[in-house]
Structure formats: structure tokens, C-alpha cells
Amino acid sequence: MPGGRETDLRARSRLSSRLGRLGLIGVPYLWLLILFLLPFVIVLKISFSDITIAMPPYTPVFDWADGVSGNLAKVKEFTLQNYGFLASDALYYLSYLSSLKIAAISTVLTLLIGFPLAYGMARSPREWRPLLVMLVILPFWTSFLIRVYAWMGILSREGLLNQFLIWLGVIDPANPLVILSTNTAVYIGIVYSYLPFMVLPLYATLEKLDETLLEAAADLGCPPWKAFWQITVPLAIPGVIAGCFLVFIPAVGEFVIPDLLGGSQTLMIGRTLWTEFFNNRDWPISSAIAVVLLLILVIPIVYFQNQQARLQESEK
């Protein structure tokens, strides 16, 4: 009997541990299924539809109410005309290219500013680090929209920046700097808004850096600048990659910053998508824009992660 009880208890503990693992893994997957996969399927379905004057303003090619047989009968009507329209109109692919360019330049600028900042935080006295991290996070305590509006007041012709430069005598009051409604203002807004996303992963990586490696390099006669490039920078690569992803991905689809700080010549796919969805009420085209944007971002990231996983396996 005691042996049977022990076997029963072991079986129950194994079952509970398995259920615990399934619950631990299943909750994130359920979250992604409800909040990512299902909305994506709905958007993908709308992207194959035809525009019409109705509410909602599209005629679905596939309808869940028709069942499997009804949808199979509609396969002949299936076309990629919305995606073909994106490829035929220069506005859309120029918007994609411009968004990728602005996001890439902004990411590089954010890295150039964020790396020294994160390095200084990681090398500062340990008792100061929590305060420095809080100062980096502090802008998040204010609404994102309010912060962008504040930059409009700073960069306008009568803004604080021009008033300060006029007070210093650097520029002529009759010819103030024209920064607002240009791509320069968009770069400034993106770098300012997403700088914490670059600094925090870099700081987390640099803080774990073993300082004895730098001490050993100094003992062997390595100059500080050479030790920085050969030891600190290679070890900080995971933080650099994480920070660049966290800045580049949202910057590509940014809408608020180019809409408020950019001019009429600022082409970004977020503004184009908003125009198609709200002004033109062309939901199929706007859905196709969103699907292509997601594929542009997801496919390279998945490929990069697979390459990194293969590299790590080969090193083992």
C-alpha cells in the first residue's frame, strides 16, 4: 500500500508539473493568438476585399458566414489586385523606401547618442545608477503626444530654439532657422522619443561587463581606446542589436511624429496608411499596406534570429 501511494503521488506531481509548464507556455501563446494573430488574419482578409460605398466600406471576398463550401466556390474570384495596385503606384513604394530610410538614419543617430550615454551610466558609481536610469525613464511619465507638441513649440520659427539663438546673436532675427515641417524635425522627434529604447538595453549589457578584462588589457599595455573597441564594443553587440530593433521597428511605422513635425514632402508609410484608411476610406488598400509593412519588418527579423541560432549551435 505505501508503495502504491508513493507511485500515485509521483504521478500526480508529474501531472501537475506538466500542467504548470503548459500553462506557463500557453498563456503567452494565447495572448499572441488573441492580440496578434487574429487581428492580423482579419486585416489580411480585408486586404483581399473590394472597396464599396457601405459600412464597412468593403465587400469581403471570403465571408465566415458562407461556410467552407461557399468560400471554396469564391476561390475563382480571389485576386491580388490591391497588392498589385501598391506595386503600380509610386506613392506607396516611395513611402516604404522613405520610411525605411528615415528609420535607419534615426536608428544610427540614436545609437551614436545612446551608446556614450549608456556607457557613462554603466561606468558611473553604483549608488548613482538607479537615479540615472530613472532620469532616462522620466520622459515616459509624460504623454508621448504632449512631448511631440512640445517640440513643435521648440522648433517653430518663433520657438524657443530660434529665440535662444537670436538672444545669443548667432542668427539674424529676420532669418530664423526653418526646422519645423522638415525631415530634420522628424529625425529630432524620433531620436528624442525612442532614445530610452536604445539606452536601456545598452545599459543592461554594459553594466554586466567584466571590468577585469579592461584591467587585464591595461596591464598588457593596451591603450584605453583600443581596449574599448576590442573588448567593450564586441561584448555590447547584443545590447546594440536589441536597441536597434526596438528603435527601428516602431520608427518605420511612425505616424504622429511625421504628421506633427514633418512637412508635406515627408513621405512615411504611417501617414499614407492613415490617409487611405480615414480620408479615402479605402480599407482594402490600407489593409494591404499594413500587411506588406508587417512582412517587410518580420521576415528580416526571423531570418536574422535563425542565423543567430545557427551560429550559436555551430559554436557549441
Side-chain angles (χ1 to χ4, degrees):
M1 292 294 292
R5 283 184 180 178
E6 289 180 4
T7 304
D8 189 36
L9 289 174
R10 288 177 184 174
R12 289 182 179 179
S13 65
R14 289 175 184 172
L15 180 61
S16 62
S17 64
R18 287 178 182 175
L19 291 175
R21 290 174 197 166
L22 289 174
L24 187 64
I25 298 172
V27 169
Y29 276 101
L30 182 64
W31 180 273
L32 289 174
L33 175 66
I34 296 174
L35 297 181
F36 176 76
L37 187 59
L38 287 180
F40 174 74
V41 171
I42 293 171
V43 172
L44 182 65
K45 171 177 168 286
I46 296 174
S47 70
F48 296 131
S49 304
D50 298 322
I51 188 172
T52 185
I53 301 176
M55 191 62 196
Y58 66 90
T59 302
V61 175
F62 300 107
D63 195 344
W64 311 122
D66 293 338
V68 176
S69 58
N71 286 321
L72 288 175
K74 292 182 179 181
V75 170
K76 296 179 181 179
E77 303 175 17
F78 178 78
T79 63
L80 297 174
Q81 61 180 2
N82 292 324
Y83 295 93
F85 183 74
L86 295 184
S88 63
D89 195 327
L91 171 66
Y92 300 106
Y93 61 78
L94 288 178
S95 296
Y96 283 116
L97 293 176
S98 178
S99 296
L100 293 172
K101 173 189 170 185
I102 292 175
I105 294 175
S106 300
T107 302
V108 172
L109 293 174
T110 308
L111 178 61
L112 293 176
I113 298 171
F115 196 100
L117 185 59
Y119 184 76
M121 292 168 57
R123 300 285 289 178
S124 63
R126 191 167 294 274
E127 60 271 15
W128 290 9
R129 295 178 187 177
L131 176 62
L132 296 175
V133 172
M134 189 194 71
L135 292 176
V136 172
I137 300 174
L138 195 61
F140 289 119
W141 295 6
T142 307
S143 169
F144 173 74
L145 192 60
I146 292 175
R147 286 184 280 135
V148 177
Y149 270 115
W151 275 108
M152 293 177 67
I154 294 172
L155 301 177
S156 64
R157 293 175 64 91
E158 298 82 17
L160 295 176
L161 178 60
N162 276 317
Q163 294 297 326
F164 180 68
L165 294 177
I166 291 171
W167 179 73
L168 291 177
V170 176
I171 62 174
D172 185 4
N175 296 306
L177 296 178
V178 179
I179 302 177
L180 190 63
S181 300
T182 64
N183 283 352
T184 303
V186 176
Y187 290 130
I188 293 173
I190 293 177
V191 170
Y192 164 76
S193 300
Y194 293 106
L195 185 61
F197 294 103
M198 180 67 74
V199 172
L200 293 177
L202 283 171
Y203 168 73
T205 303
L206 292 170
E207 189 188 27
K208 299 175 184 176
L209 181 66
D210 189 357
E211 295 185 2
T212 58
L213 297 174
L214 300 175
E215 294 173 0
D219 292 340
L220 293 173
C222 182
W225 65 269
K226 194 172 184 180
F228 174 80
W229 284 109
Q230 294 189 351
I231 297 175
T232 304
V233 172
L235 292 177
I237 291 298
V240 171
I241 294 173
C244 288
F245 277 155
L246 289 174
V247 173
F248 180 79
I249 292 174
V252 172
E254 182 59 57
F255 162 72
V256 175
I257 293 174
D259 188 59
L260 296 180
L261 300 182
S264 58
Q265 301 300 318
T266 302
L267 268 181
M268 290 196 74
I269 198 62
R271 292 182 69 182
T272 304
L273 194 154
W274 188 92
T275 301
E276 291 292 346
F277 192 88
F278 289 99
N279 289 356
N280 300 339
R281 293 187 59 80
D282 194 339
W283 289 19
I285 289 295
S286 57
S287 299
I289 293 172
V291 171
V292 173
L293 178 61
L294 183 65
L295 294 177
I296 289 174
L297 294 176
V298 168
I299 291 176
I301 293 172
V302 171
Y303 176 77
F304 174 79
Q305 289 179 338
N306 289 335
Q307 292 296 111
Q308 290 294 109
R310 290 178 183 176
L311 183 63
Q312 291 177 358
E313 289 179 0
S314 63
E315 289 178 354
K316 292 178 182 179

